[in-house]
Amino acid sequence: DKGGHKHFMSKEIAEQPTVIAQALGHYLSGDGAIALPEPGIDFAGVDRLTMVACGTAYYACLSAKHWFEQIARMPVDVDVASEFRYREPPLPDRTAALFVSQSGETADTLAALRFCQGKAGSILSVVNVPESSIARESDLVLPIHAGVEVGVASTKAYSCQLTVLLILALKAAQDRGVIGPDEFADHVSALRGIPSVMSEALGIADNARRMGEKISQARDVLFLGRGQMFPLALEGALKLKEISYIHAEGYASGELKHGPIALVDQNVPIVVMAPRDRLFDKTVSNMQEVMARKGKVILISDARGIEEAGEGTFGTILMPTVQEVVSPILYAVPAQLLAYYTAIAKGTDVDQPRNLAKSVTVE
Ligand code: F6R
């Protein structure tokens, strides 16, 4: 049942405020304490975290790396599952291995998990399907509570993965004694604010439709982001490729001049994801480099960012202002909606893109 939507994908994008609220309800108690499912985990006994996943779930891990490093001061490795296993990485026993998978059945992720069994100190999984193979073989299962995701392109599972991973990073920070009560309370309040700012962010739909119509004319599209926005640039490019079949690449803004800028001309839309955070000025100077080469910049930012840097761009998408820590969760919305409306403009099959399956059970 598409609940009045034309596609499962748009229904699932629209459901995000509700399902994130659900996930928050499962992990945060009324007094703001974090409650993990049994048997829980004490990160005081963990020195290193290894995260493994595929596709969009891998990008969720890249965002989580920032959170675990910055908030929990914990060293983190992130790998795509198909690469991790064959490298046979050493896993000291105070390493926790964390697997992220919507379906819980992805063959490469499951094989990576099995490689870690008996080596890592503990095996954690963040899944949408609690009855899945990955969940069954984990020491601790953290369900994302996104509800069934039908669209092949992952949307609400991604933002719920991010939400649960941020909560886990906060728990790690607490266990390791590296976060004070005020900072902790600030992060919890930012988390609790997500459903309402996400509803507000869904209001960009009309604008995203107009931008999508423009993007649908392009042959190549670049997505740029720095810091916390780099994984979002990767996700925006993946979503676009998947459902509109337009070639897209996500780059760290600072990498632009090391090669990809050669692609830029007046035919290339460049989507810049840049909330007005402490890295904003750097991203803007990268953005100006592509504008000087006539690249068509679509700047996605908050009111202050658009006021400071919107001039001379091809288009802007105005996002609500949020605390920096939760911006990756919020900026999932423009990544998804740009892909969705570009695909609609091209007339491709949004829910069932060619060559793709919802669950990839072969390596
Ligand atoms: C992208 C997408 C895929 C999956 C990947 C992992 O929209 O859906 O990249 O994220 O195949 O799948 P799961 O999360 O089920 O392990």
Side-chain angles (χ1 to χ4, degrees):
D1 176 22
K2 295 180 192 147
H5 288 263
K6 267 177 83 180
H7 301 97
F8 283 107
M9 186 178 176
S10 62
K11 170 177 175 264
E12 289 162 0
I13 291 171
E15 275 171 359
Q16 291 178 109
T18 313
V19 291
I20 290 174
Q22 258 165 38
L24 291 172
H26 278 93
Y27 287 95
L28 294 179
S29 61
D31 59 3
I34 292 171
L36 298 187
E38 290 301 318
I41 179 169
D42 184 353
F43 282 96
V46 177
D47 292 340
R48 174 164 217 102
L49 183 65
T50 286
M51 305 183 73
V52 183
C54 302
T56 287
Y58 167 69
Y59 298 150
C61 295
L62 293 180
S63 287
K65 178 178 169 76
H66 285 249
W67 290 323
F68 274 94
E69 287 178 350
Q70 288 178 15
I71 305 172
R73 308 305 307 158
M74 183 177 281
V76 177
D77 295 310
V78 182
D79 258 298
V80 286
S82 56
E83 289 296 319
F84 173 79
R85 190 156 58 100
Y86 298 108
R87 241 180 31 239
E88 304 194 7
L91 296 168
D93 64 359
R94 285 169 66 89
T95 303
L98 172 59
F99 301 86
V100 180
S101 174
Q102 188 285 129
S103 63
E105 300 296 346
T106 299
D108 279 315
T109 310
L110 180 59
L113 182 153
R114 288 180 176 154
F115 169 83
C116 292
Q117 280 169 339
K119 300 187 187 78
S122 49
I123 309 256
L124 281 59
S125 61
V126 170
V127 295
N128 199 27
V129 183
E131 305 77 30
S132 58
S133 307
I134 287 175
R136 266 199 312 275
E137 300 196 25
S138 305
D139 301 323
L140 172 64
V141 182
L142 303 162
I144 60 171
H145 302 288
V148 177
E149 189 180 68
V150 179
V152 163
S154 188
T155 53
K156 63 176 180 172
Y158 175 62
S159 52
C160 287
Q161 284 161 355
L162 290 172
T163 302
V164 170
L165 289 166
L166 175 52
I167 292 171
L168 198 64
L170 283 175
K171 161 83 166 105
Q174 248 183 349
D175 290 350
R176 291 160 62 80
V178 296
I179 189 167
D182 292 347
E183 195 191 340
F184 183 82
D186 281 351
H187 289 331
V188 168
S189 103
L191 273 165
R192 288 203 199 281
I194 297 171
S196 86
V197 283
M198 199 124 194
S199 302
E200 199 185 319
L202 290 168
I204 67 167
D206 283 340
N207 195 0
R209 178 186 293 116
R210 280 193 297 277
M211 298 296 158
E213 281 162 9
K214 308 276 189 216
I215 293 174
S216 70
Q217 313 292 314
R219 204 190 57 184
D220 306 286
V221 181
L222 295 179
F223 284 75
L224 302 181
R226 190 182 273 269
Q228 281 283 37
M229 286 297 121
F230 173 41
L232 271 294
L234 295 170
E235 170 65 1
L238 177 63
K239 286 287 95 95
L240 191 71
K241 284 186 266 225
E242 257 185 309
I243 62 170
S244 76
Y245 315 144
I246 295 175
H247 171 240
E249 296 297 337
Y251 277 102
S253 314
E255 273 292 291
L256 195 68
K257 49 172 127 356
H258 301 287
I261 198 162
L263 297 170
V264 174
D265 64 19
Q266 70 279 4
N267 300 315
V268 182
I270 297 132
V271 179
V272 178
M273 303 182 118
R276 180 70 183 78
D277 58 19
R278 66 205 148 87
L279 302 175
F280 183 74
D281 291 342
K282 300 230 185 281
T283 307
V284 166
S285 70
N286 303 136
M287 182 180 106
Q288 280 156 352
E289 287 160 6
V290 299
M291 281 162 61
R293 285 152 186 92
K294 303 203 166 53
K296 289 200 178 70
V297 168
I298 297 172
L299 173 63
I300 307 178
S301 187
D302 46 35
R304 202 170 144 207
I306 287 176
E307 191 190 302
E308 287 177 22
E311 214 179 290
T313 57
F314 178 72
T316 55
I317 294 182
L318 175 63
M319 295 287 290
T321 303
V322 281
Q323 292 93 324
E324 206 172 316
V325 69
V326 296
S327 55
I329 305 175
L330 192 70
Y331 279 65
V333 170
Q336 298 160 353
L337 287 177
L338 279 180
Y340 178 75
Y341 286 114
T342 304
I344 297 295
K346 288 200 68 178
T348 50
D349 186 343
V350 173
D351 283 336
Q352 288 286 335
R354 69 187 182 201
N355 308 342
L356 295 175
K358 183 67 186 158
S359 176
V360 183
T361 52
V362 291
E363 292 178 30

